[in-house]
Amino acid sequence: MPSLTLGDFELSIFSDGTYPLDGGAFFGVVPKVMWSRKVTADERNYVQAGLNSLLIRTGKQTVLVETGMGNKLSERMIKFYGQPAKLLANLSAAGIAPEDIDIVINTHLHFDHCGWNTVRGKDGKIAPTFPRAKYYAPEGEWQYARRPSERDAISYISENYDQLVESGQMTLLKGGEQIVPGISVKTFPGHTAHMQAVIVESRGRTACYISDLIPTTAHIDLTWGMSFDLYPLQTIESKKQYYAKAIPEKWLTVFTHDPKVPWAFVEKDDAGKMVASSA
Ligand SMILES: [Zn+2]
């Protein structure tokens, strides 16, 4: 499990496993002759995507950003994506029980980002996986999730959040809020209209869970967006906005779907090309 210290905070990556995604869909309009230099596809053109959650120990709270794909997928979705469901076992191997999590933050509500928010009990009832945690998610995402477009309706599974909102365990965010000192959210539209990145700051150092705006190190170029993005031109604008701060201020970028490099510093090389430099 990769870990590092950021000021007073301890950051660790916990994976829910990897899953197959169509390489063409993953890289949008980028031709395969280009993306296949960075990632390998199998004979069906699938590439491996990671499911990286970020655990932050502030000294006072234990905060989990994203909860992977979970274990409640339908048979049909399991056919496409498998269902690795490794997050709880990986947390447990590091001595972290569900009761230890104080705060859960979802950047958006696609099924591969909030799947372990809840579990289905033997009685068939849905219950929070992290019983003591306060959950947070973008309000605009939740509103959208109630009436998604035909294009992305498959990505929203009500069991992952609706009950938490109803019971009051999940707080909906406008964007810009501080969750606890040093941890705040900021809206970066593009992948969806309301996706929020999680910004972590301690003692002058900053890390950012940029989520599906820059899902892997292979997506750091401005024009390398996923075809899943609902607003591709907005993705480019949001990336520009992000790099304008993240590059000069040397933010550590956390990559939600990179199966090999969960975090890195994005830099501009001498030719003006974006490159990932290891953390
Ligand atoms: Zn997404």
Side-chain angles (χ1 to χ4, degrees):
M1 168 229 354
S3 283
L4 57 77
T5 304
L6 186 97
D8 293 334
F9 295 175
E10 195 193 313
L11 273 50
S12 314
I13 297 291
F14 287 92
S15 170
D16 194 29
T18 61
Y19 67 114
L21 271 182
D22 181 80
F26 206 26
F27 288 101
V29 296
V30 178
K32 188 174 181 184
V33 287
M34 291 175 77
W35 63 253
S36 60
R37 287 183 210 141
K38 300 192 185 204
V39 296
T40 347
D42 69 12
E43 68 287 347
R44 298 172 310 160
N45 209 41
Y46 279 109
V47 299
Q48 286 299 308
L51 292 161
N52 298 323
S53 290
L54 174 66
L55 189 93
I56 309 155
R57 287 188 179 97
T58 67
K60 284 189 180 142
Q61 299 94 357
T62 303
V63 181
L64 185 65
V65 180
E66 300 309 50
T67 61
M69 200 180 270
N71 70 347
K72 304 186 301 302
L73 288 192
S74 65
E75 288 299 318
R76 178 162 179 261
M77 283 185 84
I78 290 174
K79 263 186 210 152
F80 287 113
Y81 301 111
Q83 183 172 250
K86 295 192 167 152
L87 182 63
L88 296 193
N90 284 336
L91 286 168
S92 162
I96 300 161
E99 294 74 26
D100 297 333
I101 305 293
D102 300 301
I103 290 170
V104 171
I105 307 173
N106 298 142
T107 65
H108 61 305
L109 295 174
H110 283 163
F111 73 98
D112 52 335
H113 291 258
C114 61
W116 279 113
N117 277 8
T118 60
V119 281
R120 188 179 292 115
K122 287 201 185 80
D123 55 1
K125 287 200 182 121
I126 294 293
T129 308
F130 307 99
R132 288 184 44 253
K134 286 185 81 168
Y135 289 71
Y136 294 87
E139 174 163 24
E141 265 289 311
W142 182 71
Q143 295 289 0
Y144 179 84
R146 301 164 80 187
R147 284 179 214 84
S149 74
E150 289 81 355
R151 180 184 154 118
D152 63 346
I154 191 174
S155 290
Y156 289 100
I157 301 173
S158 142
E159 293 172 333
N160 288 334
Y161 40 78
D162 275 337
Q163 202 172 298
L164 296 169
V165 174
E166 256 164 55
S167 71
Q169 196 168 350
M170 176 177 270
T171 301
L172 298 171
L173 301 164
K174 301 266 182 230
E177 288 94 336
Q178 177 176 265
I179 310 283
V180 294
I183 302 180
S184 59
V185 291
K186 180 173 162 49
T187 304
F188 281 99
H191 178 62
T192 67
H194 303 281
M195 195 203 83
Q196 293 172 4
V198 180
I199 299 172
V200 185
E201 293 167 292
S202 181
R203 291 194 181 272
R205 291 195 60 203
T206 305
C208 182
Y209 193 100
I210 197 63
S211 191
D212 278 341
L213 187 70
I214 313 168
T216 76
T217 49
H219 291 85
I220 59 178
D221 189 280
L222 285 180
T223 59
W224 286 46
M226 299 189 285
S227 64
F228 306 111
D229 292 356
L230 295 183
Y231 310 98
L233 296 179
Q234 190 80 61
T235 293
I236 293 178
E237 283 313 308
S238 287
K239 273 178 162 174
K240 277 186 194 164
Q241 217 190 80
Y242 175 67
Y243 289 144
K245 272 190 103 63
I247 293 179
E249 294 180 13
K250 300 193 186 338
W251 291 12
L252 178 73
T253 300
V254 183
F255 300 100
T256 185
H257 291 311
D258 199 309
K260 291 190 186 131
V261 184
W263 47 31
F265 298 98
V266 178
E267 293 171 356
K268 236 182 207 174
D269 72 6
D270 296 337
K273 230 174 98 94
M274 304 290 183
V275 289
S277 118
S278 60

